[in-house]
Amino acid sequence: MVVAEVMRRTWAMTWKDVRVELRARERMNAMLFFAGLVLFIFNFALGPDLERLRDAAPGLLWLAFLFTGMLGLGRSFQAERENECFEELLLTPGDRESLYFGKLAGNILFMVMAELLILPLFAILYNLDIWSRLPGLVLVAVLGTIGFSTIGTLLAAMTAHLRAREVMLPLLLFPLTVPVILGSVRATEALLNGPGLVEVGHWLKLLVGFDVVFLVVCPLLFEFVLEE
Amino acid sequence: MSRPLVVTRVVGALAGAVLAVGLGLAFFVVPPDAVQGEVQRIMYLHLGAVAAAYFAFFVTLLASVRYLWKRDLRADAVAVASAEVGVLFTGVVLASGSIWGKSTWGVWWTWDARLTLTAITFTIYVGYLMLRAFAEEPQAAARYGAVLGVLGFLAIPLNHFAVQWWRTLHQPSSIIRAGGPSMDPFMLTVVLVNVCGMLLLYGYLLLERFRLERIRHQTLQLRLTRGRRG
């Protein structure tokens, strides 16, 4: 019963964010446009040499994912901040955890959607064959995105109240998510250029472990962040 | 002098004495390393700073948990004091490691696992200090700081595994390993003296910084009450 209640509240929170996004389309538009630009700029930075681009591809792909995700995370509490609605959120009955999980689900959803659109664009621009490895890539992307968003959602709630919030979110988030970044890039590299996922089982385990640890810890800490 | 102040001074004097002996032995008495030569002496300083830095961040973790649990402002003062001193020691670790690396590996910096881990830990706790500086009110600074104090310490083991698998060319740990230490007993003694000295120095700096933070709290409190009276 309790689980069903938490699920229902979580869903209400997520659906609120999705509906706002469906009407305004601010966040997704910004994220996708930014992702496209990032892919272009990488090309300018590294030159048109296809061999070199292919070697760097896994890292570039994840930089595009993470920068885009960061942009989305930075906006995830913007509506509440601008309209001063944090108090109203806190007044909703029930546990704070469902607020966290609701926000988290929304952030993961937006980031995965962006990734699903970045992937084909990336394959075309960088002339890569991703289609045969798609299931593995999606698995790695989802695991990485969950890990990045668990800490990201918590920190976004925190930095929303700071001066210099645009700077502080990436500054805190990237060092804390080094295992996610390393694990995702290595696993993607194995998929695109190397032996496949079987060889990098330890990285997948690290990603899963990271996700589990912070899925437990972050909701607990979230309670202290949203106190007014 | 009040009693806490006496304790602080005594710890400070002890730290000075133990470090004078430890570093004196390290730089003038211990024979140079058979392979690495004179430059290996910097390791005595380096290892002491490593111990103090990680201990400092552990104290920040404990104090952060206590603050979140009891809302004790003194715990918050311990957390911020310890983090600041920890950042200082991490800086010493990075600098001394770089100097040692330059003459042993021939480069100031390499993406070696433990070096990278130290650099990541350094950025996390510099972020911690910045986060507190950017918070708009003291209670928020304390709460956010405590949350990050917990997250930051949890990240250390995970980051450790990640960079360990990523790459390693650091010399394998020579003190803590199965089958006992591989070090000459005299060298080991000097290492331990220096570790004790650094931990005492950490204790001294922590106490001083804690006192400063408490004075800051009192000043804020005074300003608030004066403001209320108009």
Side-chain angles (χ1 to χ4, degrees), chain A residues 151 154-155 158 161-164 168 171-172 175-176 178-179 182 186 202-203 206 210 214 217 221 224-225 227, chain B residues 68 71 120 123-124 127 130-131 133-136 143-144 147-148 151-152 154-155 158-159 161-163 165-166:
Chain A
I151 297 192
L154 179 70
L155 291 180
M158 216 149 88
H161 300 280
L162 297 180
R163 284 173 278 140
M168 282 314 288
L171 213 142
L172 296 173
L176 286 172
V178 167
L182 271 178
R186 291 304 125 187
H202 57 293
W203 285 118
L206 181 76
F210 189 97
F214 287 103
V217 173
L221 291 175
F224 299 109
V225 168
E227 231 166 65
Chain B
L68 290 179
R71 296 308 154 106
I120 298 168
T123 43
I124 290 176
M130 287 180 73
L131 174 79
F134 280 127
E136 265 160 7
R143 263 189 300 125
Y144 299 163
V147 168
L148 197 60
L151 270 188
L154 270 182
L158 288 162
N159 283 340
F161 282 121
V163 295
W165 285 336
W166 182 45

Side-chain angles (χ1 to χ4, degrees), chain B residues 215-229:
Chain B
I215 293 171
R216 222 173 56 82
H217 286 165
Q218 285 166 7
T219 321
L220 273 175
Q221 199 57 48
L222 279 176
R223 277 214 194 111
L224 274 178
T225 41
R226 271 186 57 132
R228 243 182 249 133
R229 260 187 247 136

Side-chain angles (χ1 to χ4, degrees), chain B residues 44-68:
Chain B
Y44 298 104
L45 179 86
H46 184 74
L47 289 174
V50 169
Y54 281 99
F55 186 70
F57 297 140
F58 183 61
V59 170
T60 298
L61 168 76
L62 295 184
S64 299
V65 171
R66 179 166 170 87
Y67 176 78
L68 290 179

Side-chain angles (χ1 to χ4, degrees), chain B residues 36 40 43 100 104-105 112 114 168-174:
Chain B
Q36 295 167 9
Q40 184 264 346
M43 274 306 162
W100 181 82
T104 309
W105 297 330
D112 154 72
R114 264 185 272 173
T168 187
L169 70 235
H170 205 287
Q171 63 173 12
S173 208
S174 37

